[in-house]
């Protein structure tokens, strides 16, 4: 993983990532992000255009950085066009939380626009599962289960 940090304008910092963001490279990113969060009170754009692979460790590193930067009054925007990083964000539903944008220009414009970030999506509430066992507790070996498997009565 190659990490390049450069000031862009108006206190905005661009972090360009090239290569694989995974468990073996997350420590590099974590140290860079910690320094940026502690010393930057503005906007940070993470450019994931040249990321060839990202796993859940890389995603967790981005989420932690976004939280840490926010606690210092900064904002994160992620330039993440189609590719492995965007796929991971879309599958996990974190594109909005991490302010993911399709281009560097959109990501650069977004933090300076101010305004509130989009709210996090709430998890859908699940209805409580109905227990297949009788209300008293233990099931007998001959009790039918409630799942419609072949053992269940029709």
């Amino acid at each position: 993983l190659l990490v390049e940090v450069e000031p862009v304008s108006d206190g905005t910092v661009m972090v360009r990532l090239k290569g694989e963001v995974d468990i073996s490279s997350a420590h590099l990113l974590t140290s860079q992000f910690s320094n940026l969060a502690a010393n930057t009170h503005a906007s940070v754009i993470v450019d994931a255009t040249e990321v060839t692979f990202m796993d859940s460790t890389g995603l967790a590193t981005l989420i932690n950085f976004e939280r840490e930067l926010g606690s210092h009054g900064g904002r994160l925007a992620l330039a993440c066009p189609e590719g492995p990083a965007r796929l991971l964000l879309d599958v996990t539903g974190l594109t909005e939380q991490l302010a993911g944008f399709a281009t560097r220009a959109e990501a650069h414009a977004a933090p300076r626009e101010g305004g509130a970030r989009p709210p996090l999506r709430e998890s859908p509430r699940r209805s409580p599962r109905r227990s297949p066992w009788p209300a008293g507790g233990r099931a007998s070996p001959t009790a039918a289960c409630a799942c419609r498997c072949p053992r269940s009565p029709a």
Side-chain angles (χ1 to χ4, degrees):
L1 176 68
L2 178 63
V3 181
E4 297 174 351
V5 179
E6 65 181 74
V8 180
S9 64
D10 302 332
T12 301
V13 177
M14 174 82 71
V15 178
R16 288 195 171 106
L17 307 178
K18 296 179 183 178
E20 297 183 354
V21 183
D22 57 13
I23 194 166
S24 65
S25 62
H27 67 282
L28 297 171
L29 216 48
T30 301
S31 65
Q32 286 284 348
F33 285 165
S34 293
N35 290 337
L36 278 173
N39 299 317
T40 303
H41 298 287
S43 302
V44 176
I45 300 168
V46 175
D47 181 2
T49 305
E50 296 183 56
V51 169
T52 57
F53 175 79
M54 183 181 286
D55 68 0
S56 60
T57 309
L59 185 60
T61 303
L62 286 172
I63 292 168
N64 291 334
F65 176 54
E66 190 264 343
R67 289 179 182 159
E68 188 175 359
L69 187 63
S71 72
H72 293 321
R75 293 189 57 170
L76 173 71
L78 184 62
C80 191
E82 296 300 317
R86 183 60 174 232
L87 179 63
L88 185 60
L89 289 173
D90 289 344
V91 167
T92 58
L94 293 171
T95 306
E96 287 181 17
Q97 178 181 348
L98 289 175
F101 297 92
T103 66
R104 286 180 212 140
E106 288 176 8
H108 188 261
R112 293 185 292 136
E113 290 173 352
R117 282 194 22 211
L120 300 179
R121 292 183 189 169
E122 289 187 25
S123 303
R125 297 207 177 241
R126 295 183 182 182
S127 59
R129 294 181 107 186
R130 193 181 77 160
S131 173
W133 312 119
R138 300 183 143 205
S140 69
T142 58
C145 92
C147 72
R148 301 188 193 240
C149 67
R151 295 183 312 155
S152 299

mmCIF file of all heavy atoms in Angstrom, residues 11-34:
data_model
loop_
_atom_site.group_PDB
_atom_site.id
_atom_site.type_symbol
_atom_site.label_atom_id
_atom_site.label_comp_id
_atom_site.label_asym_id
_atom_site.label_seq_id
_atom_site.Cartn_x
_atom_site.Cartn_y
_atom_site.Cartn_z
ATOM 1 N N GLY A 11 -7.228 24.432 3.514
ATOM 2 C CA GLY A 11 -7.116 23.540 4.657
ATOM 3 C C GLY A 11 -7.532 22.114 4.376
ATOM 4 O O GLY A 11 -7.558 21.281 5.265
ATOM 5 N N THR A 12 -7.868 21.822 3.125
ATOM 6 C CA THR A 12 -8.249 20.462 2.751
ATOM 7 C C THR A 12 -6.992 19.655 2.447
ATOM 8 O O THR A 12 -6.067 20.135 1.813
ATOM 9 C CB THR A 12 -9.162 20.485 1.508
ATOM 10 O OG1 THR A 12 -10.322 21.250 1.804
ATOM 11 C CG2 THR A 12 -9.582 19.078 1.104
ATOM 12 N N VAL A 13 -6.991 18.406 2.914
ATOM 13 C CA VAL A 13 -5.869 17.504 2.695
ATOM 14 C C VAL A 13 -6.357 16.324 1.865
ATOM 15 O O VAL A 13 -7.424 15.775 2.123
ATOM 16 C CB VAL A 13 -5.296 17.002 4.043
ATOM 17 C CG1 VAL A 13 -4.186 16.002 3.828
ATOM 18 C CG2 VAL A 13 -4.818 18.169 4.881
ATOM 19 N N MET A 14 -5.559 15.945 0.859
ATOM 20 C CA MET A 14 -5.882 14.793 0.025
ATOM 21 C C MET A 14 -4.978 13.632 0.428
ATOM 22 O O MET A 14 -3.762 13.783 0.522
ATOM 23 C CB MET A 14 -5.647 15.117 -1.451
ATOM 24 C CG MET A 14 -5.804 13.942 -2.391
ATOM 25 S SD MET A 14 -7.503 13.576 -2.840
ATOM 26 C CE MET A 14 -7.881 14.959 -3.895
ATOM 27 N N VAL A 15 -5.599 12.473 0.693
ATOM 28 C CA VAL A 15 -4.852 11.252 0.999
ATOM 29 C C VAL A 15 -5.126 10.286 -0.143
ATOM 30 O O VAL A 15 -6.250 9.837 -0.316
ATOM 31 C CB VAL A 15 -5.297 10.629 2.338
ATOM 32 C CG1 VAL A 15 -4.539 9.349 2.605
ATOM 33 C CG2 VAL A 15 -5.138 11.610 3.473
ATOM 34 N N ARG A 16 -4.085 10.002 -0.925
ATOM 35 C CA ARG A 16 -4.236 9.082 -2.049
ATOM 36 C C ARG A 16 -3.756 7.693 -1.643
ATOM 37 O O ARG A 16 -2.652 7.539 -1.137
ATOM 38 C CB ARG A 16 -3.432 9.578 -3.244
ATOM 39 C CG ARG A 16 -4.047 10.783 -3.886
ATOM 40 C CD ARG A 16 -3.445 11.040 -5.260
ATOM 41 N NE ARG A 16 -4.220 12.067 -5.913
ATOM 42 C CZ ARG A 16 -3.789 13.310 -6.075
ATOM 43 N NH1 ARG A 16 -2.598 13.662 -5.647
ATOM 44 N NH2 ARG A 16 -4.555 14.196 -6.673
ATOM 45 N N LEU A 17 -4.619 6.721 -1.883
ATOM 46 C CA LEU A 17 -4.286 5.327 -1.558
ATOM 47 C C LEU A 17 -4.064 4.565 -2.852
ATOM 48 O O LEU A 17 -4.869 4.666 -3.786
ATOM 49 C CB LEU A 17 -5.430 4.672 -0.784
ATOM 50 C CG LEU A 17 -5.926 5.395 0.470
ATOM 51 C CD1 LEU A 17 -7.094 4.634 1.085
ATOM 52 C CD2 LEU A 17 -4.805 5.562 1.460
ATOM 53 N N LYS A 18 -2.968 3.810 -2.913
ATOM 54 C CA LYS A 18 -2.668 3.000 -4.095
ATOM 55 C C LYS A 18 -2.307 1.597 -3.633
ATOM 56 O O LYS A 18 -1.423 1.416 -2.804
ATOM 57 C CB LYS A 18 -1.487 3.582 -4.863
ATOM 58 C CG LYS A 18 -1.760 4.952 -5.440
ATOM 59 C CD LYS A 18 -0.541 5.490 -6.161
ATOM 60 C CE LYS A 18 -0.827 6.904 -6.654
ATOM 61 N NZ LYS A 18 0.344 7.482 -7.327
ATOM 62 N N GLY A 19 -3.028 0.616 -4.147
ATOM 63 C CA GLY A 19 -2.729 -0.771 -3.803
ATOM 64 C C GLY A 19 -3.821 -1.410 -2.966
ATOM 65 O O GLY A 19 -4.987 -1.045 -3.059
ATOM 66 N N GLU A 20 -3.416 -2.356 -2.136
ATOM 67 C CA GLU A 20 -4.350 -3.138 -1.332
ATOM 68 C C GLU A 20 -4.469 -2.580 0.085
ATOM 69 O O GLU A 20 -3.463 -2.332 0.735
ATOM 70 C CB GLU A 20 -3.893 -4.590 -1.265
ATOM 71 C CG GLU A 20 -3.884 -5.269 -2.610
ATOM 72 C CD GLU A 20 -3.496 -6.727 -2.544
ATOM 73 O OE1 GLU A 20 -3.119 -7.231 -1.460
ATOM 74 O OE2 GLU A 20 -3.570 -7.381 -3.595
ATOM 75 N N VAL A 21 -5.709 -2.378 0.518
ATOM 76 C CA VAL A 21 -5.981 -1.926 1.880
ATOM 77 C C VAL A 21 -6.576 -3.117 2.616
ATOM 78 O O VAL A 21 -7.748 -3.437 2.459
ATOM 79 C CB VAL A 21 -6.962 -0.729 1.890
ATOM 80 C CG1 VAL A 21 -7.175 -0.235 3.303
ATOM 81 C CG2 VAL A 21 -6.468 0.393 0.992
ATOM 82 N N ASP A 22 -5.723 -3.790 3.384
ATOM 83 C CA ASP A 22 -6.166 -5.002 4.070
ATOM 84 C C ASP A 22 -5.485 -5.115 5.427
ATOM 85 O O ASP A 22 -4.844 -4.165 5.885
ATOM 86 C CB ASP A 22 -5.926 -6.246 3.207
ATOM 87 C CG ASP A 22 -4.464 -6.408 2.806
ATOM 88 O OD1 ASP A 22 -3.592 -5.724 3.380
ATOM 89 O OD2 ASP A 22 -4.188 -7.234 1.919
ATOM 90 N N ILE A 23 -5.604 -6.258 6.031
ATOM 91 C CA ILE A 23 -5.084 -6.442 7.383
ATOM 92 C C ILE A 23 -3.569 -6.239 7.461
ATOM 93 O O ILE A 23 -3.053 -5.764 8.464
ATOM 94 C CB ILE A 23 -5.492 -7.826 7.949
ATOM 95 C CG1 ILE A 23 -5.250 -7.874 9.450
ATOM 96 C CG2 ILE A 23 -4.778 -8.941 7.210
ATOM 97 C CD1 ILE A 23 -5.925 -9.029 10.135
ATOM 98 N N SER A 24 -2.864 -6.529 6.382
ATOM 99 C CA SER A 24 -1.410 -6.380 6.414
ATOM 100 C C SER A 24 -0.962 -4.929 6.225
ATOM 101 O O SER A 24 0.167 -4.588 6.556
ATOM 102 C CB SER A 24 -0.755 -7.273 5.355
ATOM 103 O OG SER A 24 -1.127 -6.849 4.065
ATOM 104 N N SER A 25 -1.823 -4.080 5.696
ATOM 105 C CA SER A 25 -1.438 -2.685 5.458
ATOM 106 C C SER A 25 -2.211 -1.683 6.319
ATOM 107 O O SER A 25 -1.935 -0.494 6.270
ATOM 108 C CB SER A 25 -1.633 -2.337 3.983
ATOM 109 O OG SER A 25 -2.987 -2.472 3.621
ATOM 110 N N ALA A 26 -3.152 -2.154 7.094
ATOM 111 C CA ALA A 26 -4.003 -1.250 7.884
ATOM 112 C C ALA A 26 -3.199 -0.438 8.891
ATOM 113 O O ALA A 26 -3.547 0.714 9.162
ATOM 114 C CB ALA A 26 -5.093 -2.042 8.589
ATOM 115 N N HIS A 27 -2.124 -0.989 9.440
ATOM 116 C CA HIS A 27 -1.334 -0.251 10.426
ATOM 117 C C HIS A 27 -0.703 1.001 9.808
ATOM 118 O O HIS A 27 -0.587 2.025 10.474
ATOM 119 C CB HIS A 27 -0.268 -1.155 11.047
ATOM 120 C CG HIS A 27 0.803 -1.580 10.087
ATOM 121 N ND1 HIS A 27 0.608 -2.586 9.164
ATOM 122 C CD2 HIS A 27 2.055 -1.116 9.904
ATOM 123 C CE1 HIS A 27 1.708 -2.732 8.444
ATOM 124 N NE2 HIS A 27 2.611 -1.848 8.877
ATOM 125 N N LEU A 28 -0.307 0.951 8.531
ATOM 126 C CA LEU A 28 0.230 2.132 7.850
ATOM 127 C C LEU A 28 -0.825 3.228 7.762
ATOM 128 O O LEU A 28 -0.560 4.401 8.032
ATOM 129 C CB LEU A 28 0.685 1.782 6.433
ATOM 130 C CG LEU A 28 1.817 0.798 6.276
ATOM 131 C CD1 LEU A 28 1.979 0.403 4.819
ATOM 132 C CD2 LEU A 28 3.101 1.416 6.808
ATOM 133 N N LEU A 29 -2.010 2.820 7.382
ATOM 134 C CA LEU A 29 -3.112 3.757 7.244
ATOM 135 C C LEU A 29 -3.527 4.327 8.586
ATOM 136 O O LEU A 29 -3.781 5.527 8.709
ATOM 137 C CB LEU A 29 -4.290 3.023 6.600
ATOM 138 C CG LEU A 29 -5.167 3.781 5.642
ATOM 139 C CD1 LEU A 29 -4.364 4.544 4.625
ATOM 140 C CD2 LEU A 29 -6.118 2.839 4.960
ATOM 141 N N THR A 30 -3.580 3.482 9.607
ATOM 142 C CA THR A 30 -3.970 3.929 10.941
ATOM 143 C C THR A 30 -3.028 5.000 11.468
ATOM 144 O O THR A 30 -3.475 6.017 12.006
ATOM 145 C CB THR A 30 -4.028 2.740 11.913
ATOM 146 O OG1 THR A 30 -4.973 1.790 11.418
ATOM 147 C CG2 THR A 30 -4.434 3.173 13.300
ATOM 148 N N SER A 31 -1.722 4.817 11.295
ATOM 149 C CA SER A 31 -0.776 5.821 11.796
ATOM 150 C C SER A 31 -0.892 7.128 11.020
ATOM 151 O O SER A 31 -0.865 8.208 11.616
ATOM 152 C CB SER A 31 0.660 5.292 11.758
ATOM 153 O OG SER A 31 1.067 5.059 10.433
ATOM 154 N N GLN A 32 -1.063 7.056 9.709
ATOM 155 C CA GLN A 32 -1.249 8.275 8.908
ATOM 156 C C GLN A 32 -2.534 8.992 9.312
ATOM 157 O O GLN A 32 -2.553 10.207 9.484
ATOM 158 C CB GLN A 32 -1.321 7.933 7.414
ATOM 159 C CG GLN A 32 -0.015 7.575 6.797
ATOM 160 C CD GLN A 32 0.860 8.798 6.537
ATOM 161 O OE1 GLN A 32 0.416 9.939 6.609
ATOM 162 N NE2 GLN A 32 2.122 8.545 6.255
ATOM 163 N N PHE A 33 -3.605 8.221 9.459
ATOM 164 C CA PHE A 33 -4.894 8.813 9.813
ATOM 165 C C PHE A 33 -4.872 9.426 11.212
ATOM 166 O O PHE A 33 -5.465 10.479 11.435
ATOM 167 C CB PHE A 33 -6.011 7.783 9.701
ATOM 168 C CG PHE A 33 -6.424 7.454 8.288
ATOM 169 C CD1 PHE A 33 -7.187 6.335 8.032
ATOM 170 C CD2 PHE A 33 -6.065 8.261 7.219
ATOM 171 C CE1 PHE A 33 -7.595 6.025 6.744
ATOM 172 C CE2 PHE A 33 -6.461 7.957 5.928
ATOM 173 C CZ PHE A 33 -7.229 6.837 5.686
ATOM 174 N N SER A 34 -4.198 8.787 12.152
ATOM 175 C CA SER A 34 -4.119 9.331 13.514
ATOM 176 C C SER A 34 -3.406 10.678 13.519
ATOM 177 O O SER A 34 -3.840 11.623 14.185
ATOM 178 C CB SER A 34 -3.404 8.359 14.442
ATOM 179 O OG SER A 34 -4.173 7.208 14.612
#
